[in-house]
Amino acid sequence: MIKEVVTEKLPIHSQKESEKNLGNREMYIGASDIVGCPRKAILSKFAPVDHSPETLIKFLRGHIAESVVENALKETKYLWATQYEVTHKELPFIKAHLDFIIYSRDYKKIFVVEVKSVNGLPDSPYGNWQNQLYFQMGLLKDKFPEAIVKGSIFAVDVNTGKYKEYNSFEYNEVIYKMLIEKAKEIWNSLNKLKETGAEEGLATEVSPLCAYCQFKQSCPNFTGDELSLPDEIKDEIVKFAELQEQEKEIKEQKEKIRDFVMNYLGGDNKYKFAFDGLKLEVYQMVSKRIDTNILKTDFQEIYNACLKENASIMFKVS
């Protein structure tokens, strides 16, 4: 009995709650539209698709994460608001609903909190999270020009109970203007689609979230074979793809730090330091290895005789 009730009534309740908190999302461009794929944002407004009860239940994890912050703020003396709506001062079709703001009585200091529900806490916040926060801070700065606007991203893994805050974000005019231009492009493309009905040429952005896109089947960027995978498997594949991106970022950061330290140390290749329980060693390693190009060219028979077949499993997400 209750399964049928959930299947039938949860989508109705979810729609009512969305309209109460966010209004009619088909009538404006919001923060999540701007930081995601433009094509998905446009089609979700032009031809919205109902979410399954399973997807709606997953969305509820976000409300749980927000309730963690809300319940804590209720025990403070801060001035704060949740689902704070702010609209662009000149472009009424651009607006955002901020998870939380903490503000001074004169609105001269405003702190924005963007809450994320995650499956595993990343070492650093994803780029689209940061852009969403920059966009929200920009709208607040437009509304309160004299205010000092800062913010953070608070991530909660509701499965493990672990949480993490990513701090030190401040209003950035360059990023904000770039995001406003993207919002205008999405709005113009949406209106053009309403006039012509032609989906061709809509801008796309590829990301791990493509796995969940309701409009993937007709997307020009989708080239893989569609598989009927359970959501929990998709979640893990998406997490793997996100970790791949973090690996690249971490490698680049390590190389920058290494180069910075080496430039400071100078031209020598041998150093040894110890401080705060850490030990830094810099030394040159010389190794010898076979030049396979010479071996293939000048000693092909030996090269062929030494070849050994080795089988391995490739696990690649792109």
Side-chain angles (χ1 to χ4, degrees):
M1 172 190 168
I2 195 64
K3 179 179 179 181
E4 288 74 17
V5 172
V6 169
T7 301
E8 180 182 353
K9 300 300 182 181
L10 183 60
I12 298 174
H13 174 76
S14 178
Q15 180 65 27
K16 289 180 179 177
E17 286 295 301
S18 177
E19 290 179 358
K20 182 176 76 172
N21 295 325
L22 304 176
N24 186 351
R25 299 190 66 181
E26 297 175 28
M27 303 306 294
Y28 66 89
I29 306 300
S32 58
D33 299 320
I34 295 171
V35 301
C37 173
R39 182 177 184 272
K40 180 182 178 182
I42 293 164
L43 293 180
S44 66
K45 299 177 189 300
F46 178 73
V49 178
D50 293 334
H51 294 293
S52 67
E54 291 81 5
T55 299
L56 294 175
I57 290 172
K58 290 172 65 177
F59 288 166
L60 289 174
R61 292 185 300 187
H63 295 300
I64 295 173
E66 290 174 16
S67 70
V68 171
V69 178
E70 183 171 2
N71 291 336
L73 284 174
K74 286 178 179 178
E75 302 302 319
T76 71
K77 295 183 179 180
Y78 293 136
L79 294 174
W80 61 277
T82 183
Q83 292 304 318
Y84 183 83
E85 182 177 296
V86 57
T87 304
H88 192 280
K89 60 183 179 181
E90 296 175 357
L91 305 169
F93 58 84
I94 297 178
K95 67 173 65 176
H97 295 83
L98 284 57
D99 289 338
F100 296 94
I101 63 168
I102 303 170
Y103 56 93
S104 61
R105 198 169 298 277
D106 58 1
Y107 285 91
K108 290 295 180 66
K109 294 181 180 179
I110 308 175
F111 192 86
V112 185
V113 182
E114 173 64 22
V115 181
K116 295 296 181 185
S117 172
V118 298
N119 181 17
L121 296 168
D123 292 329
S124 57
Y126 301 123
N128 60 332
W129 292 1
Q130 297 180 52
N131 284 338
Q132 190 169 1
L133 184 60
Y134 282 126
F135 175 71
Q136 295 169 348
M137 291 190 293
L139 288 177
L140 282 173
K141 186 69 174 176
D142 273 352
K143 184 173 182 177
F144 304 102
E146 302 302 318
I148 298 173
V149 182
K150 297 183 179 182
S152 72
I153 299 167
F154 186 76
V156 181
D157 187 334
V158 298
N159 297 315
T160 64
K162 294 182 179 180
Y163 50 90
K164 185 174 183 178
E165 184 175 21
Y166 307 93
N167 267 313
S168 303
F169 292 94
E170 299 182 10
Y171 164 71
N172 185 303
E173 184 179 7
V174 174
I175 296 177
Y176 175 58
K177 287 184 175 179
M178 176 191 70
L179 294 172
I180 289 296
E181 288 303 312
K182 184 177 178 181
K184 288 158 64 175
E185 291 172 3
I186 293 174
W187 182 253
N188 292 335
S189 295
L190 174 61
N191 289 327
K192 184 178 179 181
L193 178 59
K194 289 178 178 178
E195 292 175 4
T196 64
E199 297 181 14
E200 292 78 11
L202 294 179
T204 62
E205 288 183 13
V206 178
S207 79
L209 295 179
C210 290
Y212 302 104
C213 182
Q214 296 164 300
F215 309 101
K216 182 177 63 176
Q217 293 288 6
S218 58
C219 178
N221 282 335
F222 181 71
T223 57
D225 296 326
E226 180 66 8
L227 298 177
S228 297
L229 295 173
D231 279 351
E232 58 267 26
I233 300 300
K234 287 183 179 180
D235 286 344
E236 293 304 308
I237 295 173
V238 169
K239 186 176 179 181
F240 185 89
E242 291 171 345
L243 289 171
Q244 283 185 155
E245 289 300 313
Q246 289 182 51
E247 276 184 328
K248 288 198 299 186
E249 293 178 4
I250 290 171
K251 182 180 178 182
E252 291 174 0
Q253 291 176 26
K254 286 172 63 178
E255 290 175 351
K256 287 180 182 178
I257 293 171
R258 181 200 62 199
D259 293 345
F260 176 78
V261 174
M262 290 300 297
N263 285 336
Y264 174 81
L265 293 176
D268 292 340
N269 292 321
K270 190 172 183 180
Y271 295 95
K272 193 172 184 178
F273 299 103
F275 67 98
D276 297 340
L278 297 173
K279 184 170 70 173
L280 168 65
E281 292 184 81
V282 179
Y283 52 88
Q284 187 178 56
M285 292 182 63
V286 178
S287 61
K288 294 182 179 180
R289 59 183 181 179
I290 295 173
D291 188 326
T292 55
N293 289 325
I294 294 178
L295 193 61
K296 273 192 243 181
T297 304
D298 298 341
F299 307 96
Q300 191 169 18
E301 290 186 7
I302 297 175
Y303 174 79
N304 291 334
C306 293
L307 284 179
K308 181 180 178 182
E309 190 173 281
N310 183 38
S312 60
I313 303 295
M314 295 296 294
F315 190 93
K316 182 180 178 183
V317 179
S318 58

